[in-house]
């Protein structure tokens, strides 16, 4: 007998029929003698719908009330799920965040979980109930309802699994697991059997939106193994776990891309103390998250500075940088929205030389120009022209031996 936490995302509980299917699947585990805690998201589209409602009422809805409103999405799905289980002749009990309770800080809309009281859940489990916990929500110290940020039900599930020392945390979603790259642009993408927390964090932050980033950070901190798998299939998915020796043998585990960034270059910036601070100050003030920053060694006291920002913040950033450039006497500001960042990720890179060289070589052989490069211990990223994204991903995926051999050539 095991204690299992399962989380089902919005598409998995997107209709009455689907909620019934989930209830049936959960009961299969229950009938085998397992204790079941089920964390649910709101039915697909509901959270967006609630946010739209709020916007109709107010241009700038108060964050406390927005959280009260958004938390209702998950209330609906846990109630309906419990009804489904009971209609099948078994016992179930729904619990909202404040009933568990799940304690958080008071940052509405992006609250962090402090601790979870597991007594109530344990009591319900002992009564033989399947316990359905509303994802994405908690309670601050003053007793206010909080939400954890979009996609936050993953974090609820992982945090619960850690607090109650569950044997496994299974995240059910609409994909079969974590892939070596985006199967939509590379049909030979392969499902990974395992991936380390660190690799997953890099994959998630680069846009492989299988798991919410914070849930992976949580899992890493408390060493909770996560099984990411599909609600619509019986196949095993991908285990996200602590790094093992075996993982180091693989140079690259995945190729990711991000088309959501734009590049800003400031030409001939006077190379003296304080210029970078002056340039970035207004950008940070405006809440823009700068990603890569590259500065050249200076020639005759002048240097070029290039960095990337989210596309959505491009125009705002160009305006701010142009103002500063005038003030500090830089030559000109150039912007480019048609870029993409392609990255290779793998813990095996740590102990192997030549991985970067191979990446550059592969891109060169397709005549793809590299505009910027950045590296970390387990990741190498290159900024290239956006129109080459798919090609770059495919050739890198192949060159690093990630292809699914079983997949027929197109
Ligand atoms: N319902 C919330 C959202 O759509 C939380 C979640 O799905 O995990 O962001
Ligand atoms: Mg969701």
């Amino acid at each position: 007998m095991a204690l299992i936490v399962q989380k089902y995302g919005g598409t998995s509980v997107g209709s009455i029929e689907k909620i019934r299917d989930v209830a049936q699947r959960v009961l299969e585990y229950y009938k085998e003698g397992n204790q079941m805690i089920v964390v649910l998201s709101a039915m697909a589209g509901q959270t967006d719908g609630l946010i739209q409602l709020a916007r109709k009422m107010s241009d700038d809805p108060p964050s406390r009330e927005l959280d009260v409103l958004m938390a209702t999405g998950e209330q609906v799905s846990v109630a309906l799920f419990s009804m489904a289980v009971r209609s099948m002749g078994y016992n179930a009990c729904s619990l909202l965040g404040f009933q568990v309770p799940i304690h958080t800080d008071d940052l509405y809309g992006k609250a962090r979980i402090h601790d979870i009281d597991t007594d109530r859940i344990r009591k319900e489990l002992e009564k033989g109930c399947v316990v359905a916990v509303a994802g994405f929500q908690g309670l601050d110290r003053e007793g206010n309802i909080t939400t954890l940020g979009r996609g936050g039900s993953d974090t609820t599930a992982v945090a619960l699994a850690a607090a109650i020392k569950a044997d496994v945390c299974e995240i059910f979603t609409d994909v079969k697991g974590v892939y070596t790259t985006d199967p939509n642009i590379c049909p030979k993408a392969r499902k990974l059997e395992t991936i380390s927390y660190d690799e997953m964090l890099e994959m998630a932050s680069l846009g492989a939106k299988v798991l919410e980033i914070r849930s992976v950070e949580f899992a890493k901190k408390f060493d909770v193994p996560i099984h990411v798998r599909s609600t619509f299939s019986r196949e095993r998915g991908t285990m996200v776990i602590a790094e093992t020796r075996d993982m180091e043998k693989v140079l690259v585990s995945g190729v990711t891309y991000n088309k959501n960034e734009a590049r800003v270059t400031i030409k001939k910036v006077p190379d003296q103390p304080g210029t970078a601070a002056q340039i970035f100050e207004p950008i940070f003030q405006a809440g823009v998250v700068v990603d890569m920053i590259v500065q050249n060694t200076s020639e005759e006291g002048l240097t070029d500075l290039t960095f990337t920002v989210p596309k959505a913040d491009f125009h705002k950033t160009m305006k701010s940088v142009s103002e500063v450039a005038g003030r500090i006497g830089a030559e000109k500001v150039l912007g480019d929205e048609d870029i993409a960042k392609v990255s290779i990720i793998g813990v095996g890179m740590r102990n192997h030389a030549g991985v970067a060289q191979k990446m550059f070589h592969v891109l060169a052989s397709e005549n793809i120009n590299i505009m910027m490069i950045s590296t970390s211990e387990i990741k190498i990223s290159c900024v290239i022209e956006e129109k080459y994204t798919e090609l770059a991903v495919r050739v890198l995926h192949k060159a690093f031996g990630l292809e699914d051999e079983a997949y027929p050539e197109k």
Side-chain angles (χ1 to χ4, degrees):
M1 189 183 93
L3 174 56
I4 301 176
V5 174
Q6 292 187 336
K7 180 257 171 178
Y8 292 87
T11 43
S12 307
V13 294
S15 67
I16 291 293
E17 258 328 296
K18 285 183 175 166
I19 293 177
R20 273 203 196 105
D21 292 345
V22 168
Q24 226 142 33
R25 184 152 190 179
V26 170
L27 283 175
E28 283 172 26
Y29 288 80
Y30 180 84
K31 287 179 209 164
E32 285 167 9
N34 301 301
Q35 289 188 309
M36 300 303 296
I37 302 171
V38 181
V39 175
L40 299 181
S41 288
M43 295 169 77
Q46 288 303 310
T47 311
D48 290 329
L50 291 166
I51 294 170
Q52 274 167 21
L53 265 184
R55 293 263 147 78
K56 278 190 191 152
M57 187 55 75
S58 156
D59 288 340
D60 186 18
S63 48
R64 180 188 184 278
E65 305 311 327
L66 189 58
D67 276 14
V68 174
L69 184 68
M70 283 197 293
T72 61
E74 274 68 14
Q75 179 161 355
V76 172
S77 44
V78 287
L80 289 173
F81 169 83
S82 301
M83 289 176 200
V85 172
R86 293 182 75 121
S87 74
M88 293 166 189
Y90 292 85
N91 223 341
C93 163
S94 66
L95 291 175
L96 302 182
F98 78 87
Q99 293 174 303
V100 174
I102 295 174
H103 295 287
T104 72
D105 62 18
D106 57 6
L107 279 173
Y108 297 120
K110 47 172 184 282
R112 286 191 170 265
I113 295 177
H114 278 171
D115 60 86
I116 299 180
D117 190 339
T118 55
D119 289 353
R120 174 77 193 266
I121 293 182
R122 284 190 192 285
K123 232 178 258 163
E124 300 298 338
L125 288 173
E126 272 153 31
K127 280 193 240 161
C129 278
V130 171
V131 181
V133 178
F136 174 59
Q137 54 180 263
L139 176 76
D140 77 1
R141 213 179 302 158
E142 307 287 314
N144 299 301
I145 289 175
T146 55
T147 66
L148 309 181
R150 298 307 305 270
S153 301
D154 289 354
T155 302
T156 305
V158 174
L160 247 175
I164 205 153
K165 302 196 169 55
D167 295 296
V168 61
C169 180
E170 296 192 302
I171 306 272
F172 286 83
T173 176
D174 49 5
V175 293
K176 286 185 176 168
V178 182
Y179 281 75
T180 47
T181 193
D182 180 353
N184 293 317
I185 67 170
C186 189
K188 285 190 163 189
R190 191 161 42 81
K191 188 178 70 191
L192 291 160
E193 262 170 50
T194 56
I195 186 170
S196 70
Y197 295 125
D198 287 328
E199 287 168 324
M200 192 63 225
L201 284 171
E202 294 287 2
M203 302 268 252
S205 66
L206 291 168
K209 294 191 189 63
V210 204
L211 280 178
E212 193 226 358
I213 291 189
R214 274 164 70 177
S215 70
V216 185
E217 285 166 356
F218 219 103
K220 183 184 172 188
K221 191 162 158 199
F222 296 99
D223 205 3
V224 180
I226 303 178
H227 186 181
V228 186
R229 58 192 307 186
S230 167
T231 311
F232 311 112
S233 141
R234 300 274 146 177
E235 242 174 78
R236 277 187 71 75
T238 303
M239 289 301 300
V240 187
I241 52 175
E243 201 175 314
T244 63
R245 276 275 170 83
D246 267 4
M247 289 179 179
E248 285 175 10
K249 292 187 199 133
V250 183
L251 280 190
V252 172
S253 313
V255 180
T256 62
Y257 65 94
N258 181 351
K259 292 184 179 183
N260 296 321
E261 288 185 10
R263 181 172 66 116
V264 178
T265 300
I266 315 171
K267 299 288 282 183
K268 300 204 173 149
V269 181
D271 188 15
Q272 58 205 17
T275 41
Q278 278 187 65
I279 290 166
F280 289 111
E281 178 67 25
I283 302 175
F284 293 135
Q285 289 288 338
V288 176
V289 180
V290 177
D291 182 23
M292 291 162 105
I293 304 178
V294 176
Q295 189 191 306
N296 269 334
T297 49
S298 66
E299 215 179 304
E300 287 154 15
L302 297 172
T303 179
D304 294 345
L305 187 70
T306 300
F307 58 93
T308 61
V309 293
K311 261 188 191 143
D313 295 323
F314 177 65
H315 293 287
K316 178 156 81 172
T317 306
M318 284 297 281
K319 194 160 162 261
S320 147
V321 170
S322 301
E323 275 165 25
V324 182
R327 233 184 306 133
I328 61 178
E331 188 192 66
K332 61 181 167 194
V333 181
L334 306 170
D336 187 354
E337 284 185 275
D338 302 322
I339 61 156
K341 184 170 73 175
V342 179
S343 310
I344 55 175
I345 293 157
V347 290
M349 276 181 210
R350 266 194 215 122
N351 308 317
H352 292 86
V355 182
Q357 177 53 22
K358 180 163 176 182
M359 178 177 195
F360 305 153
H361 191 80
V362 169
L363 294 176
S365 66
E366 294 294 330
N367 244 331
I368 299 172
N369 187 39
I370 302 171
M371 302 179 200
M372 294 170 84
I373 300 165
S374 83
T375 62
S376 78
E377 256 202 319
I378 63 164
K379 178 183 78 173
I380 305 166
S381 304
C382 292
V383 171
I384 60 170
E385 264 185 84
E386 184 175 348
K387 64 178 183 202
Y388 294 125
T389 314
E390 284 78 9
L391 174 63
V393 169
R394 274 188 223 123
V395 292
L396 288 168
H397 190 261
K398 179 167 187 177
F400 284 100
L402 297 175
E403 291 196 341
D404 184 351
E405 297 303 337
Y407 195 91
E409 260 329 314
K410 274 218 288 193

